[in-house]
Amino acid sequence: MKVPFLDLSLQHRALREEVLAALAATYDATRFCLGQDVEDFERAFAAALGYPRVIGMNSGTSPLHVASMIGGFGPGDEVIVPAFSFISSAWG
């Protein structure tokens, strides 16, 4: 028997119609960045996490960059990252 490495079909099947409808609404309204869709996502995600507010960003690299700035890292500081990682770990 062949066992797939990753099979998300059951999870996807349960959400398929809702997700496709949301994607179609965003696509049809050409709301690809910022706007009501992002505000709705941030509000819902904050509620799910129990935080007063969250900020959606464009990638995983941007939050690492912002966290480094908030942490006070600057030119000449040494940041050690794992050898087996994505480049954004160091770029941040």
Side-chain angles (χ1 to χ4, degrees):
M1 171 189 351
K2 183 176 180 181
V3 177
F5 177 71
L6 180 63
D7 183 4
L8 299 175
S9 60
L10 289 176
Q11 294 92 326
H12 288 181
R13 194 173 307 129
L15 301 170
R16 180 178 172 79
E17 296 305 317
E18 181 182 355
V19 169
L20 289 178
L23 287 171
T26 297
Y27 184 83
D28 292 343
T30 64
R31 298 183 305 237
F32 301 116
C33 60
L34 302 177
Q36 192 62 47
D37 290 338
V38 173
E39 291 173 18
D40 291 345
F41 167 77
E42 290 173 339
R43 193 175 305 105
F45 197 53
L49 294 175
Y51 288 106
R53 187 170 171 178
V54 300
I55 299 173
M57 295 190 178
N58 66 321
S59 69
T61 306
S62 293
L64 290 171
H65 183 129
V66 170
S68 295
M69 290 177 8
I70 291 170
F73 296 111
D77 290 341
E78 180 179 25
V79 178
I80 300 171
V81 299
F84 187 67
S85 180
F86 188 65
I87 191 64
S88 65
S89 301
W91 278 347

